[in-house]
């Protein structure tokens, strides 16, 4: 049903495969940056001891970024169903889809977690899968741009690389908190206090 709807939309808009690839890659790279910026905003809210609930302004912006990646994944599904795609391009489209699924499932889990437990920190059972999904989406966008024959889209490649590196660094930082939280939380306690307090 979803693919039929997407096919009707793409046929009505006469969106060619190359344009769909451009839309997918731009959304898959831009969405994670929106999520990262909102995540930093959320951390600043934690510093200011703002009330924590799921539908806070930073969370709405985070899930706007997730929605961008979800749209990219719908177009990816449409392309994979309608065309015979192989190699790095196929892998990129698959990564965008998998990353989007992880983000959506983690988002619902985060909503339930906030309803049950209230405030959370950088480390939670929902944040790290969400971050892994973001990294996979950014990597998928990078693969799509790298495999593209469109020279205009290739100019977006450095932006895709920086996005992937930023998202991987953010995930690495948060995962490192699991293993070295006592040492790492001392200098950053004021910045990410809630992230350290739950350890």
């Amino acid at each position: 049903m979803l693919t039929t709807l997407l096919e009707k939309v793409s046929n009505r808009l006469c969106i060619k495969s190359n344009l769909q690839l451009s839309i997918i890659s731009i959304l898959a790279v831009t969405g994670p940056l929106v999520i990262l910026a909102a995540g930093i905003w959320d951390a600043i809210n934690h510093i200011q001891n703002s009330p924590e609930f799921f539908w806070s302004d930073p969370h709405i912006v985070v899930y706007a970024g997730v929605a961008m990646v979800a749209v990219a994944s719908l177009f990816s599904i449409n392309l994979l169903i309608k065309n015979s795609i192989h190699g790095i391009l196929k892998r990129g489209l698959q990564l965008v889809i998998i990353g989007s699924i992880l983000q959506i499932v983690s988002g619902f889990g985060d909503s339930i977690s906030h309803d049950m437990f209230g405030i959370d920190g950088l480390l939670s059972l929902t944040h790290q899968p969400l971050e892994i999904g973001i990294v996979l989406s950014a990597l998928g966008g990078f693969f799509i741009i790298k495999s593209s024959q469109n020279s205009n889209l290739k100019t977006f490649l450095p932006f895709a690389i920086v996005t992937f590196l930023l998202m991987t660094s953010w995930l690495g930082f948060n995962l490192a908190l699991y293993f070295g939280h006592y040492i790492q939380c001392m200098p950053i306690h004021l910045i990410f206090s809630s992230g350290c307090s739950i350890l």
Side-chain angles (χ1 to χ4, degrees):
M1 179 175 131
L2 189 57
T3 55
T4 307
L5 178 65
L6 226 142
E7 187 175 337
K8 286 181 182 177
V9 169
S10 64
N11 287 341
R12 184 160 285 196
L13 295 175
C14 298
I15 299 176
K16 297 181 180 177
S17 293
N18 287 337
L19 181 56
Q20 286 187 55
L21 285 173
S22 297
I23 292 169
I24 292 166
S25 55
I26 289 169
L27 289 176
V29 170
T30 307
L33 282 179
V34 170
I35 296 168
L36 178 62
I40 293 168
W41 180 16
D42 193 36
I44 291 168
N45 272 3
H46 286 193
I47 295 168
Q48 297 171 341
N49 295 319
S50 295
E52 175 74 8
F53 56 96
F54 182 75
W55 292 112
S56 63
D57 292 341
H59 284 189
I60 290 170
V61 177
V62 164
Y63 291 105
V66 170
M68 292 170 74
V69 176
V71 169
S73 74
L74 291 176
F75 278 110
S76 298
I77 292 168
N78 183 49
L79 279 178
L80 287 172
I81 290 172
K82 289 174 64 176
N83 301 294
S84 177
I85 298 173
H86 303 285
I88 194 170
L89 177 57
K90 182 176 182 180
R91 185 58 45 98
L93 294 170
Q94 290 171 335
L95 286 173
V96 170
I97 294 165
I98 293 167
S100 177
I101 291 169
L102 276 172
Q103 290 174 58
I104 291 168
V105 170
S106 298
F108 282 118
D110 196 40
S111 175
I112 293 167
S113 173
H114 278 272
D115 289 343
M116 291 176 66
F117 306 113
I119 194 168
D120 62 4
L122 289 175
L123 302 180
S124 79
L125 294 175
T126 57
H127 287 178
Q128 275 58 66
L130 174 70
E131 292 163 3
I132 291 168
I134 297 166
V135 169
L136 291 178
S137 300
L139 181 60
F142 166 73
F143 282 163
I144 294 166
I145 294 169
K146 186 167 173 41
S147 66
S148 175
Q149 304 301 320
N150 184 342
S151 59
N152 290 333
L153 190 57
K154 287 268 192 190
T155 60
F156 203 60
L157 191 60
F159 188 67
I161 293 168
V162 169
T163 299
F164 174 70
L165 292 175
L166 284 172
M167 298 317 304
T168 304
S169 300
W170 180 255
L171 175 63
F173 168 77
N174 288 329
L175 291 177
L177 289 177
Y178 280 116
F179 304 106
H181 56 276
Y182 295 113
I183 295 169
Q184 291 171 343
C185 279
M186 290 188 310
I188 61 158
H189 183 70
L190 291 176
I191 299 172
F192 299 113
S193 57
S194 63
C196 297
S197 66
I198 65 166
L199 293 172

Coordinates of all heavy atoms in Angstrom, one line a residue, residues 25 29 88-89 92 139-150 153-158 160-161:
S25 N 19.6 11.4 -1.2 CA 20.9 11.7 -0.6 C 20.9 13.0 0.2 O 21.5 13.1 1.2 CB 22.0 11.7 -1.7 OG 21.7 12.6 -2.7
V29 N 21.5 13.1 4.3 CA 22.7 13.8 4.8 C 22.3 15.0 5.7 O 22.8 15.2 6.7 CB 23.6 14.2 3.7 CG1 24.7 15.1 4.2 CG2 24.2 13.0 3.0
I88 N 27.3 -0.3 -4.9 CA 27.4 0.7 -3.8 C 26.1 1.5 -3.7 O 25.7 1.9 -2.6 CB 28.6 1.6 -3.9 CG1 28.9 2.4 -2.6 CG2 28.5 2.5 -5.1 CD1 30.2 3.1 -2.6
L89 N 25.4 1.8 -4.8 CA 24.2 2.5 -4.8 C 23.1 1.7 -4.1 O 22.4 2.3 -3.2 CB 23.7 2.8 -6.2 CG 22.4 3.5 -6.4 CD1 22.4 4.8 -5.6 CD2 22.0 3.8 -7.8
G92 N 23.8 1.8 -0.4 CA 23.5 3.1 0.2 C 22.0 3.3 0.4 O 21.6 3.7 1.5
L139 N 25.8 7.4 6.3 CA 26.7 6.6 5.5 C 26.0 6.2 4.2 O 26.6 6.3 3.1 CB 27.1 5.4 6.2 CG 28.0 4.4 5.5 CD1 29.4 5.1 5.1 CD2 28.3 3.2 6.4
G140 N 24.7 5.9 4.2 CA 23.9 5.6 3.0 C 23.9 6.8 2.1 O 24.1 6.6 0.9
G141 N 23.6 8.0 2.6 CA 23.6 9.2 1.8 C 25.0 9.4 1.1 O 25.1 9.8 -0.1
F142 N 26.1 9.2 1.9 CA 27.4 9.3 1.3 C 27.6 8.3 0.2 O 28.1 8.7 -0.9 CB 28.5 9.0 2.4 CG 29.8 8.8 1.9 CD1 30.6 9.8 1.4 CD2 30.4 7.5 1.9 CE1 31.9 9.6 0.9 CE2 31.7 7.3 1.4 CZ 32.4 8.4 0.9
F143 N 27.2 7.0 0.3 CA 27.3 6.0 -0.7 C 26.6 6.4 -2.0 O 27.0 6.2 -3.1 CB 26.9 4.7 -0.2 CG 27.8 3.9 0.7 CD1 27.4 2.9 1.4 CD2 29.2 4.3 0.7 CE1 28.3 2.2 2.3 CE2 30.1 3.6 1.5 CZ 29.6 2.6 2.3
I144 N 25.3 6.9 -1.8 CA 24.5 7.3 -2.9 C 25.2 8.5 -3.7 O 25.3 8.4 -4.9 CB 23.1 7.7 -2.5 CG1 22.4 6.5 -1.9 CG2 22.3 8.3 -3.6 CD1 21.1 6.8 -1.1
I145 N 25.7 9.5 -3.0 CA 26.3 10.6 -3.6 C 27.6 10.1 -4.3 O 27.9 10.5 -5.5 CB 26.6 11.7 -2.6 CG1 25.3 12.3 -2.1 CG2 27.5 12.8 -3.3 CD1 25.5 13.2 -0.9
K146 N 28.4 9.2 -3.7 CA 29.6 8.7 -4.2 C 29.4 8.0 -5.5 O 30.2 8.1 -6.5 CB 30.3 7.8 -3.2 CG 31.7 7.4 -3.6 CD 32.4 6.8 -2.5 CE 33.8 6.2 -2.8 NZ 34.6 6.8 -3.8
S147 N 28.3 7.2 -5.6 CA 28.0 6.4 -6.8 C 27.3 7.2 -7.9 O 27.1 6.7 -9.0 CB 27.1 5.2 -6.4 OG 25.9 5.6 -6.0
S148 N 26.9 8.4 -7.6 CA 26.1 9.2 -8.5 C 26.9 9.7 -9.7 O 28.1 10.0 -9.6 CB 25.5 10.4 -7.8 OG 24.9 11.3 -8.7
Q149 N 26.3 9.7 -10.9 CA 26.9 10.3 -12.1 C 26.7 11.8 -12.2 O 27.2 12.4 -13.1 CB 26.4 9.5 -13.3 CG 26.6 8.0 -13.3 CD 28.0 7.6 -13.1 OE1 28.9 8.2 -13.7 NE2 28.3 6.6 -12.3
N150 N 25.8 12.3 -11.3 CA 25.4 13.7 -11.4 C 26.5 14.6 -10.8 O 26.8 14.5 -9.6 CB 24.1 13.9 -10.6 CG 23.5 15.3 -10.7 OD1 24.2 16.2 -11.0 ND2 22.2 15.4 -10.4
L153 N 25.4 16.8 -7.9 CA 25.3 16.1 -6.6 C 26.6 15.8 -6.0 O 26.8 15.8 -4.8 CB 24.4 14.8 -6.8 CG 24.0 14.1 -5.6 CD1 23.1 15.0 -4.7 CD2 23.2 12.9 -6.0
K154 N 27.6 15.5 -6.9 CA 29.0 15.2 -6.4 C 29.6 16.4 -5.6 O 30.4 16.2 -4.7 CB 29.9 14.9 -7.6 CG 29.6 13.5 -8.2 CD 30.5 12.5 -7.6 CE 30.4 11.2 -8.4 NZ 31.0 10.1 -7.8
T155 N 29.1 17.6 -5.9 CA 29.6 18.7 -5.1 C 29.2 18.7 -3.6 O 29.7 19.3 -2.8 CB 29.2 20.1 -5.7 OG1 27.8 20.1 -5.7 CG2 29.7 20.2 -7.1
F156 N 28.1 17.9 -3.4 CA 27.6 17.7 -2.0 C 28.4 16.6 -1.3 O 28.2 16.5 -0.1 CB 26.1 17.2 -2.2 CG 25.3 17.5 -1.0 CD1 25.1 18.8 -0.5 CD2 24.6 16.5 -0.4 CE1 24.3 19.0 0.6 CE2 23.8 16.7 0.7 CZ 23.6 18.0 1.2
L157 N 29.4 16.0 -1.9 CA 30.1 14.9 -1.3 C 30.9 15.3 0.0 O 30.9 14.6 1.0 CB 31.1 14.2 -2.3 CG 31.7 12.9 -1.9 CD1 30.7 11.9 -1.6 CD2 32.7 12.5 -3.0
P158 N 31.6 16.4 -0.1 CA 32.4 16.8 1.2 C 31.4 17.1 2.4 O 31.7 16.7 3.5 CB 33.0 18.2 0.8 CG 33.2 18.1 -0.7 CD 32.0 17.3 -1.2
A160 N 28.6 15.5 2.8 CA 28.2 14.1 3.2 C 29.3 13.5 4.1 O 29.0 12.8 5.1 CB 27.9 13.2 2.0
I161 N 30.6 13.7 3.7 CA 31.7 13.2 4.5 C 31.7 13.8 5.9 O 31.8 13.1 6.9 CB 33.0 13.4 3.8 CG1 33.1 12.5 2.5 CG2 34.2 13.1 4.7 CD1 34.2 12.9 1.6

